[in-house]
Amino acid sequence: MIVAFTDLDDTLFQTLRKLPPGMEGLTPATLGRDGQPHSFCTPAQSALLAHFANTGVTVIPVTGRDQAAMARVTLPFTSWRVLDHGLTVLRPDGQVDTDWRGQVLEGLETMQSALADCTQTIAELAGALGCRLTRHTAHDTHFMTVLKHPDADADSLERVQLALEKHLESRGYTDLQIIANANNVSVLPRHLGKAEAVRYLRGQHFPHATLTLALGDSLSDLAFMNACDLAITPPGGQLLRTVSAAKLPQR
Ligand SMILES: [Mg+2]
């Protein structure tokens, strides 16, 4: 059995803004909140998904999307699904996996006060810089705070990121980490996420998989990609851009 654990946004599909203008052969993959097609698979991404389907590869999404955002993905996923950055695992029948939920809630309990403190501390600066602050919950429990700038202003986002990093460092909040993307900065658990959910699924439900593939585009995917046998990442994604920019000594 071959299992492909795959990130969704910017790995299996992306918005038109991130594609060359006029690209042909696109397949709608998600709907926006307005019900209109929002993200699309390129012909290459569609070919990969068709290849997985035709060869019996089990495809498991591993995404930051919550259940509402996942419901707007129109690609047919029929196996397990990892949502909320790993905090929620859905069974093939669509029900929440209660064993994983139990482990997650136990882990989150110890981080609640640190997360609340970070959120409260950054709220004022974020507001002054025009960033929108959102508390994300999984299983009715706060697990992540996201700061988004409406115009993806890099300077504002960097100031928020630096202030948060400083706060985490000074308070010794080692259970939390900060991840940054093009238009947002997030505070979330360091050791309770996509990688742990993938390890849980591998151990509990796919112990006999002969090959596990990991597909992802972002630094935040790195840990779960490292938990699989082989990693696949798109050109121009955050991961390859970061590696390309690194001045590594040649040896
Ligand atoms: Mg992604």
Side-chain angles (χ1 to χ4, degrees):
M1 173 185 248
I2 300 176
V3 183
F5 292 97
T6 180
D7 173 56
L8 296 179
D9 292 77
D10 298 327
T11 296
L12 285 190
F13 49 72
Q14 53 284 305
T15 57
L16 289 178
R17 195 169 55 79
K18 297 191 176 162
L19 292 170
M23 189 173 193
E24 290 183 7
L26 300 179
T27 307
T30 76
L31 301 174
R33 289 173 206 275
D34 59 0
Q36 296 301 309
H38 186 71
S39 296
F40 299 83
C41 296
T42 63
Q45 289 164 328
S46 296
L48 180 66
L49 285 171
H51 179 69
F52 283 160
N54 295 337
T55 54
V57 173
T58 300
V59 178
I60 300 182
V62 181
T63 177
R65 286 174 176 257
D66 60 17
Q67 291 201 54
M70 188 69 195
R72 295 195 296 270
V73 177
T74 51
L75 300 175
F77 294 114
T78 55
S79 184
W80 297 76
R81 276 149 281 173
V82 177
L83 313 181
D84 293 323
H85 295 277
L87 283 277
T88 300
V89 167
L90 295 187
R91 303 188 321 210
D93 66 7
Q95 296 300 307
V96 171
D97 184 86
T98 50
D99 288 345
W100 182 240
R101 180 177 63 193
Q103 293 185 39
V104 163
L105 288 175
E106 205 173 299
L108 284 180
E109 204 182 305
T110 60
M111 297 173 216
Q112 287 302 298
S113 63
L115 195 53
D117 177 45
C118 287
T119 305
Q120 204 178 356
T121 301
I122 203 65
E124 193 176 333
L125 176 65
L129 293 168
C131 295
R132 204 174 62 232
L133 185 154
T134 322
R135 287 173 181 79
H136 290 244
T137 60
H139 318 294
D140 298 320
T141 306
H142 183 195
F143 79 95
M144 176 170 73
T145 295
V146 178
L147 300 127
K148 221 174 195 169
H149 193 278
D151 307 317
D153 182 66
D155 285 342
S156 301
L157 288 168
E158 195 183 342
R159 284 182 64 185
V160 166
Q161 183 178 353
L162 290 175
L164 276 171
E165 279 169 358
K166 216 174 126 194
H167 190 68
L168 250 60
E169 166 112 40
S170 69
R171 297 293 171 100
Y173 291 151
T174 51
D175 285 348
L176 296 176
Q177 66 169 334
I178 293 155
I179 61 172
N181 271 312
N183 70 341
N184 66 69
V185 175
S186 307
V187 195
L188 69 171
R190 184 183 292 279
H191 301 295
L192 191 57
K194 287 181 169 185
E196 289 72 20
V198 166
R199 281 197 205 96
Y200 167 78
L201 280 178
R202 283 194 65 172
Q204 295 292 313
H205 301 287
F206 299 98
H208 303 302
T210 45
L211 169 64
T212 52
L213 302 173
L215 291 80
D217 70 293
S218 297
L219 292 172
S220 58
D221 297 319
L222 205 49
F224 96 79
M225 294 167 84
N226 263 320
C228 295
D229 295 314
L230 201 63
I232 300 171
T233 190
Q238 189 189 42
L239 258 179
L240 278 195
R241 273 189 284 118
T242 306
V243 175
S244 304
K247 299 272 186 292
L248 299 173
Q250 303 287 317
R251 26 174 149 256

mmCIF file with all atom_site columns, all heavy atoms in Angstrom, residues 2 8 29-30 56 121 129 201 211 213-214 229 251:
data_model
loop_
_atom_site.group_PDB
_atom_site.id
_atom_site.type_symbol
_atom_site.label_atom_id
_atom_site.label_alt_id
_atom_site.label_comp_id
_atom_site.label_asym_id
_atom_site.label_entity_id
_atom_site.label_seq_id
_atom_site.pdbx_PDB_ins_code
_atom_site.Cartn_x
_atom_site.Cartn_y
_atom_site.Cartn_z
_atom_site.occupancy
_atom_site.B_iso_or_equiv
_atom_site.pdbx_formal_charge
_atom_site.auth_seq_id
_atom_site.auth_comp_id
_atom_site.auth_asym_id
_atom_site.auth_atom_id
_atom_site.pdbx_PDB_model_num
ATOM 1  N N   . ILE A 1 2   ? 0.477   2.217  -0.825 1.00 0.00 ? 2   ILE A N   1
ATOM 2  C CA  . ILE A 1 2   ? 1.178   3.505  -0.883 1.00 0.00 ? 2   ILE A CA  1
ATOM 3  C C   . ILE A 1 2   ? 0.230   4.585  -0.389 1.00 0.00 ? 2   ILE A C   1
ATOM 4  O O   . ILE A 1 2   ? -0.935  4.639  -0.796 1.00 0.00 ? 2   ILE A O   1
ATOM 5  C CB  . ILE A 1 2   ? 1.640   3.825  -2.323 1.00 0.00 ? 2   ILE A CB  1
ATOM 6  C CG1 . ILE A 1 2   ? 2.601   2.736  -2.826 1.00 0.00 ? 2   ILE A CG1 1
ATOM 7  C CG2 . ILE A 1 2   ? 2.292   5.206  -2.384 1.00 0.00 ? 2   ILE A CG2 1
ATOM 8  C CD1 . ILE A 1 2   ? 3.031   2.902  -4.266 1.00 0.00 ? 2   ILE A CD1 1
ATOM 9  N N   . LEU A 1 8   ? -2.712  20.968 0.864  1.00 0.00 ? 8   LEU A N   1
ATOM 10 C CA  . LEU A 1 8   ? -3.634  21.333 -0.220 1.00 0.00 ? 8   LEU A CA  1
ATOM 11 C C   . LEU A 1 8   ? -3.229  22.644 -0.898 1.00 0.00 ? 8   LEU A C   1
ATOM 12 O O   . LEU A 1 8   ? -2.698  22.641 -2.001 1.00 0.00 ? 8   LEU A O   1
ATOM 13 C CB  . LEU A 1 8   ? -5.070  21.425 0.320  1.00 0.00 ? 8   LEU A CB  1
ATOM 14 C CG  . LEU A 1 8   ? -5.661  20.101 0.847  1.00 0.00 ? 8   LEU A CG  1
ATOM 15 C CD1 . LEU A 1 8   ? -7.081  20.328 1.386  1.00 0.00 ? 8   LEU A CD1 1
ATOM 16 C CD2 . LEU A 1 8   ? -5.676  19.036 -0.234 1.00 0.00 ? 8   LEU A CD2 1
ATOM 17 N N   . ALA A 1 29  ? -10.864 23.521 -8.159 1.00 0.00 ? 29  ALA A N   1
ATOM 18 C CA  . ALA A 1 29  ? -10.589 22.609 -7.044 1.00 0.00 ? 29  ALA A CA  1
ATOM 19 C C   . ALA A 1 29  ? -11.257 23.050 -5.752 1.00 0.00 ? 29  ALA A C   1
ATOM 20 O O   . ALA A 1 29  ? -11.487 22.236 -4.862 1.00 0.00 ? 29  ALA A O   1
ATOM 21 C CB  . ALA A 1 29  ? -9.081  22.497 -6.823 1.00 0.00 ? 29  ALA A CB  1
ATOM 22 N N   . THR A 1 30  ? -11.544 24.346 -5.650 1.00 0.00 ? 30  THR A N   1
ATOM 23 C CA  . THR A 1 30  ? -12.244 24.842 -4.458 1.00 0.00 ? 30  THR A CA  1
ATOM 24 C C   . THR A 1 30  ? -13.247 25.910 -4.869 1.00 0.00 ? 30  THR A C   1
ATOM 25 O O   . THR A 1 30  ? -13.133 26.506 -5.944 1.00 0.00 ? 30  THR A O   1
ATOM 26 C CB  . THR A 1 30  ? -11.297 25.495 -3.429 1.00 0.00 ? 30  THR A CB  1
ATOM 27 O OG1 . THR A 1 30  ? -10.915 26.793 -3.904 1.00 0.00 ? 30  THR A OG1 1
ATOM 28 C CG2 . THR A 1 30  ? -10.060 24.661 -3.171 1.00 0.00 ? 30  THR A CG2 1
ATOM 29 N N   . GLY A 1 56  ? -4.311  3.417  -7.265 1.00 0.00 ? 56  GLY A N   1
ATOM 30 C CA  . GLY A 1 56  ? -4.747  2.978  -5.943 1.00 0.00 ? 56  GLY A CA  1
ATOM 31 C C   . GLY A 1 56  ? -3.969  3.569  -4.785 1.00 0.00 ? 56  GLY A C   1
ATOM 32 O O   . GLY A 1 56  ? -3.931  3.002  -3.683 1.00 0.00 ? 56  GLY A O   1
ATOM 33 N N   . THR A 1 121 ? -0.953  40.137 24.268 1.00 0.00 ? 121 THR A N   1
ATOM 34 C CA  . THR A 1 121 ? 0.218   40.995 24.140 1.00 0.00 ? 121 THR A CA  1
ATOM 35 C C   . THR A 1 121 ? 0.333   41.599 22.746 1.00 0.00 ? 121 THR A C   1
ATOM 36 O O   . THR A 1 121 ? 0.709   42.757 22.593 1.00 0.00 ? 121 THR A O   1
ATOM 37 C CB  . THR A 1 121 ? 1.498   40.188 24.460 1.00 0.00 ? 121 THR A CB  1
ATOM 38 O OG1 . THR A 1 121 ? 1.377   39.690 25.790 1.00 0.00 ? 121 THR A OG1 1
ATOM 39 C CG2 . THR A 1 121 ? 2.737   41.047 24.337 1.00 0.00 ? 121 THR A CG2 1
ATOM 40 N N   . LEU A 1 129 ? -1.096  48.444 13.466 1.00 0.00 ? 129 LEU A N   1
ATOM 41 C CA  . LEU A 1 129 ? -0.518  48.234 12.142 1.00 0.00 ? 129 LEU A CA  1
ATOM 42 C C   . LEU A 1 129 ? -1.561  47.819 11.105 1.00 0.00 ? 129 LEU A C   1
ATOM 43 O O   . LEU A 1 129 ? -1.240  47.566 9.949  1.00 0.00 ? 129 LEU A O   1
ATOM 44 C CB  . LEU A 1 129 ? 0.579   47.162 12.209 1.00 0.00 ? 129 LEU A CB  1
ATOM 45 C CG  . LEU A 1 129 ? 1.837   47.539 13.003 1.00 0.00 ? 129 LEU A CG  1
ATOM 46 C CD1 . LEU A 1 129 ? 2.705   46.321 13.235 1.00 0.00 ? 129 LEU A CD1 1
ATOM 47 C CD2 . LEU A 1 129 ? 2.617   48.629 12.270 1.00 0.00 ? 129 LEU A CD2 1
ATOM 48 N N   . LEU A 1 201 ? -1.580  8.742  12.334 1.00 0.00 ? 201 LEU A N   1
ATOM 49 C CA  . LEU A 1 201 ? -2.275  7.955  11.303 1.00 0.00 ? 201 LEU A CA  1
ATOM 50 C C   . LEU A 1 201 ? -1.402  6.812  10.808 1.00 0.00 ? 201 LEU A C   1
ATOM 51 O O   . LEU A 1 201 ? -1.881  5.696  10.612 1.00 0.00 ? 201 LEU A O   1
ATOM 52 C CB  . LEU A 1 201 ? -2.677  8.858  10.136 1.00 0.00 ? 201 LEU A CB  1
ATOM 53 C CG  . LEU A 1 201 ? -3.933  9.698  10.346 1.00 0.00 ? 201 LEU A CG  1
ATOM 54 C CD1 . LEU A 1 201 ? -4.202  10.593 9.148  1.00 0.00 ? 201 LEU A CD1 1
ATOM 55 C CD2 . LEU A 1 201 ? -5.150  8.784  10.592 1.00 0.00 ? 201 LEU A CD2 1
ATOM 56 N N   . LEU A 1 211 ? 5.172   2.459  1.327  1.00 0.00 ? 211 LEU A N   1
ATOM 57 C CA  . LEU A 1 211 ? 5.750   3.740  0.918  1.00 0.00 ? 211 LEU A CA  1
ATOM 58 C C   . LEU A 1 211 ? 4.812   4.853  1.348  1.00 0.00 ? 211 LEU A C   1
ATOM 59 O O   . LEU A 1 211 ? 3.609   4.806  1.076  1.00 0.00 ? 211 LEU A O   1
ATOM 60 C CB  . LEU A 1 211 ? 5.930   3.773  -0.610 1.00 0.00 ? 211 LEU A CB  1
ATOM 61 C CG  . LEU A 1 211 ? 6.279   5.124  -1.242 1.00 0.00 ? 211 LEU A CG  1
ATOM 62 C CD1 . LEU A 1 211 ? 7.641   5.630  -0.760 1.00 0.00 ? 211 LEU A CD1 1
ATOM 63 C CD2 . LEU A 1 211 ? 6.270   5.024  -2.769 1.00 0.00 ? 211 LEU A CD2 1
ATOM 64 N N   . LEU A 1 213 ? 4.371   8.958  0.895  1.00 0.00 ? 213 LEU A N   1
ATOM 65 C CA  . LEU A 1 213 ? 4.812   10.166 0.215  1.00 0.00 ? 213 LEU A CA  1
ATOM 66 C C   . LEU A 1 213 ? 4.308   11.373 0.994  1.00 0.00 ? 213 LEU A C   1
ATOM 67 O O   . LEU A 1 213 ? 3.234   11.310 1.594  1.00 0.00 ? 213 LEU A O   1
ATOM 68 C CB  . LEU A 1 213 ? 4.242   10.227 -1.206 1.00 0.00 ? 213 LEU A CB  1
ATOM 69 C CG  . LEU A 1 213 ? 4.560   9.068  -2.141 1.00 0.00 ? 213 LEU A CG  1
ATOM 70 C CD1 . LEU A 1 213 ? 3.770   9.214  -3.439 1.00 0.00 ? 213 LEU A CD1 1
ATOM 71 C CD2 . LEU A 1 213 ? 6.056   9.008  -2.418 1.00 0.00 ? 213 LEU A CD2 1
ATOM 72 N N   . ALA A 1 214 ? 5.064   12.451 0.973  1.00 0.00 ? 214 ALA A N   1
ATOM 73 C CA  . ALA A 1 214 ? 4.617   13.693 1.600  1.00 0.00 ? 214 ALA A CA  1
ATOM 74 C C   . ALA A 1 214 ? 4.713   14.806 0.578  1.00 0.00 ? 214 ALA A C   1
ATOM 75 O O   . ALA A 1 214 ? 5.757   14.981 -0.055 1.00 0.00 ? 214 ALA A O   1
ATOM 76 C CB  . ALA A 1 214 ? 5.484   14.024 2.803  1.00 0.00 ? 214 ALA A CB  1
ATOM 77 N N   . ASP A 1 229 ? 8.420   8.794  3.897  1.00 0.00 ? 229 ASP A N   1
ATOM 78 C CA  . ASP A 1 229 ? 9.574   8.189  3.237  1.00 0.00 ? 229 ASP A CA  1
ATOM 79 C C   . ASP A 1 229 ? 10.189  9.080  2.160  1.00 0.00 ? 229 ASP A C   1
ATOM 80 O O   . ASP A 1 229 ? 11.389  9.014  1.896  1.00 0.00 ? 229 ASP A O   1
ATOM 81 C CB  . ASP A 1 229 ? 9.163   6.860  2.576  1.00 0.00 ? 229 ASP A CB  1
ATOM 82 C CG  . ASP A 1 229 ? 8.736   5.841  3.612  1.00 0.00 ? 229 ASP A CG  1
ATOM 83 O OD1 . ASP A 1 229 ? 9.453   5.691  4.620  1.00 0.00 ? 229 ASP A OD1 1
ATOM 84 O OD2 . ASP A 1 229 ? 7.677   5.212  3.421  1.00 0.00 ? 229 ASP A OD2 1
ATOM 85 N N   . ARG A 1 251 ? 29.930  21.292 -0.469 1.00 0.00 ? 251 ARG A N   1
ATOM 86 C CA  . ARG A 1 251 ? 30.910  20.242 -0.205 1.00 0.00 ? 251 ARG A CA  1
ATOM 87 C C   . ARG A 1 251 ? 30.462  18.924 -0.822 1.00 0.00 ? 251 ARG A C   1
ATOM 88 O O   . ARG A 1 251 ? 29.328  18.760 -1.164 1.00 0.00 ? 251 ARG A O   1
ATOM 89 C CB  . ARG A 1 251 ? 31.206  20.030 1.268  1.00 0.00 ? 251 ARG A CB  1
ATOM 90 C CG  . ARG A 1 251 ? 30.142  20.410 2.265  1.00 0.00 ? 251 ARG A CG  1
ATOM 91 C CD  . ARG A 1 251 ? 30.551  19.979 3.678  1.00 0.00 ? 251 ARG A CD  1
ATOM 92 N NE  . ARG A 1 251 ? 30.012  20.879 4.680  1.00 0.00 ? 251 ARG A NE  1
ATOM 93 C CZ  . ARG A 1 251 ? 30.729  21.790 5.317  1.00 0.00 ? 251 ARG A CZ  1
ATOM 94 N NH1 . ARG A 1 251 ? 32.008  21.905 5.091  1.00 0.00 ? 251 ARG A NH1 1
ATOM 95 N NH2 . ARG A 1 251 ? 30.167  22.584 6.208  1.00 0.00 ? 251 ARG A NH2 1
#
